[in-house]
Amino acid sequence: MQEEALTAKQIEVRDRVLDPGGERPIFDPGLAEELRGELETHLAPIAASLEPKDQLFVNKQKLKDAQTCEGLLYSRIHDLFVINSAIARGTLAHRSVQRLIGSDYQLTPLDAVHGLFGDLVEDPGGDSTGEFVQAMGVGARAELCSEVADMVIKFAMDWPRLKRAWNPRVESRIAASFGGGVIRMSGKVDLAIGNERHGAAGVFIADLKTGFERHDNLYDVRFYALLETLRSSVPPFRIAVYYLDSGQCDWLDVTEDLLRSEVRRVLDGIEVFHRVRNQRKDQLVRNPNGLCPYCSLIDDCEPGQASVALRETEA
Ligand code: SF4
C-alpha cells in the first residue's frame, strides 16, 4: 500500500515525539509493586477512617485542584462545577477524535464531529455534556460545533495516522484501588499508543489541550503514568501534553524518580481532598488562580473576585 504523504508537522510529531522503533527503557520489574506498597501504607489511615459508602474517588482534576485552591476543590467535590462551552468543547473534541481513530480514519474529522453532535442532539443518553449540547440553541450549537471541528482538524493535520499495529486507545480508562477499594484513582487518557515490548516500556500517553501552555498540565499525564504503571506493571516510556492551538508539545521521558515524586504528590493531594471533603465553606483556604472565573464559589469569594477584576484591568 502506498504510504500517505505526511505534513511537516506530522513528521515532527512522529519522529520527535512518538519515535516509533526508538530505544525504550527497561524498568526494575519490582517497581510497580513497590509504588503500590508505598501508596497502600500511606493511605491506610485515611482508608481506615472511611466507611465503604464514603469511597474517595480521586482523579487528575481533584489532585490539581488540591494543589491550586481548597475552594476550587470543594466546588468540584460537591459537584458545583457548572458545565459551559469551554468545558464541553474539550470533551466533545476528545470524543470526536475517538470516532476518527475508531473508524480507522474512514470518517473525515468533520464527519466525526457532525456525527457526534447529531447523535447527542437525538439522544444525550444521560450524559451531562450531551444534555448541554441538546439544550443549546441552534446558533450557539453551530458555533460550538465549528470550534470542536477546528480542534479535531488540527489534530488530524498535526498527527500522523495512528497505525493499527500501534494499538491506539482514545479516551482510555485506567484505574487503581487502595484500602480494599475505598480509595479509587482513575483517569481517562486522551490518547495512549503502543504496548510493552519484551519487558521494555512501550506505551506513550498524551493529553490533548486547547488554550495556552501551562506547565502544571504535565501533572495530569504524570498521574496517568503512575496509574498505567500500577495497572500494567510496566511504566509508559513517555508522557506528553499536546496543545492544539499552538502545535506545541511538552513531553517527559518517564523515570523512576518521576514516578516516585508523583506518588508523593498524589498522597499530598489525597490528604487535602480528604480534609476538604469534610470542611465547612468558611474554613477553606482561598487561593486565587486562573480558574476563578469558572469557580462556582466566586460569588461569595472576595479574593477570587479581586483576582478576576485585576486580570480584567490588565487584559
Ligand atoms: S473563586 Fe478562586 S479563590 Fe475563590 S474559591 Fe474559587 S478558585 Fe478559589
Side-chain angles (χ1 to χ4, degrees), residues 58-314:
V58 182
N59 59 25
K60 67 175 185 182
Q61 208 56 59
K62 286 176 185 156
L63 290 172
K64 199 144 76 174
D65 291 347
Q67 278 187 307
T68 307
C69 171
E70 290 186 4
L72 194 64
L73 178 61
Y74 178 97
S75 158
R76 180 117 27 210
I77 292 170
H78 296 281
D79 219 10
L80 302 175
F81 233 73
V82 181
I83 192 158
N84 58 28
S85 286
I87 294 169
R89 189 176 58 209
T91 307
L92 294 163
H94 297 150
R95 287 167 67 174
S96 301
V97 168
Q98 187 177 29
R99 286 188 177 213
L100 180 72
I101 296 172
S103 75
D104 205 13
Y105 297 88
Q106 297 299 305
L107 293 174
T108 67
L110 271 183
D111 290 337
V113 175
H114 284 278
L116 175 63
F117 271 72
D119 289 349
L120 290 176
V121 169
E122 203 170 299
D123 179 13
D127 170 84
S128 58
T129 307
E131 283 164 4
F132 177 79
V133 169
Q134 192 186 48
M136 294 179 98
V138 175
R141 192 188 306 135
E143 277 179 29
L144 180 61
C145 185
S146 77
E147 287 172 10
V148 173
D150 175 63
M151 291 173 66
V152 179
I153 291 169
K154 282 172 179 156
F155 171 80
M157 289 195 310
D158 291 358
W159 285 66
R161 288 193 177 192
L162 304 178
K163 299 178 180 173
R164 290 182 191 195
W166 296 353
N167 290 330
R169 285 92 73 196
V170 186
E171 298 273 282
S172 177
R173 290 180 186 280
I174 43 178
S177 296
F178 298 88
V182 286
I183 300 175
R184 292 178 184 266
M185 303 181 196
S186 67
K188 212 195 275 181
V189 173
D190 288 350
L191 185 59
I193 300 169
N195 44 270
E196 170 205 343
R197 295 185 208 158
H198 313 296
V203 173
F204 167 85
I205 284 175
D207 241 14
L208 306 174
K209 301 272 190 210
T210 50
F212 289 110
E213 299 77 23
R214 289 169 51 117
H215 183 69
D216 61 359
N217 283 332
L218 278 168
Y219 284 116
D220 295 348
V221 279
R222 290 166 72 114
F223 179 56
Y224 290 159
L226 177 60
L227 285 183
E228 173 65 17
T229 304
L230 298 171
R231 196 196 71 79
S232 62
S233 301
V234 178
F237 76 94
R238 183 169 290 167
I239 49 179
V241 179
Y242 190 82
Y243 295 93
L244 290 158
D245 290 347
S246 65
Q248 182 177 319
C249 187
D250 294 341
W251 77 80
L252 293 170
D253 287 332
V254 177
T255 62
E256 260 193 53
D257 283 350
L258 180 147
L259 293 167
R260 290 185 195 286
S261 91
E262 185 56 15
V263 165
R264 290 192 291 277
R265 188 184 77 95
V266 167
L267 288 170
D268 288 347
I270 292 177
E271 193 273 320
V272 174
F273 178 19
H274 182 49
R275 177 166 47 77
V276 165
R277 204 161 77 127
N278 301 310
Q279 222 159 357
R280 291 200 322 263
K281 248 202 270 187
D282 61 355
Q283 296 174 316
L284 302 167
V285 176
R286 317 270 179 139
N287 183 25
N289 62 86
L291 292 175
C292 289
Y294 309 107
C295 175
S296 59
L297 302 192
I298 184 79
D299 289 343
D300 68 358
C301 179
E302 280 181 29
Q305 289 170 11
S307 152
V308 171
L310 184 64
R311 280 166 197 261
E312 282 172 358
T313 53
E314 287 175 348

Side-chain angles (χ1 to χ4, degrees), residues 33-49:
E33 261 329 286
E34 200 187 314
L35 299 177
R36 181 180 289 282
E38 191 176 341
L39 285 160
E40 283 284 12
T41 303
H42 287 88
L43 291 174
I46 293 179
S49 72

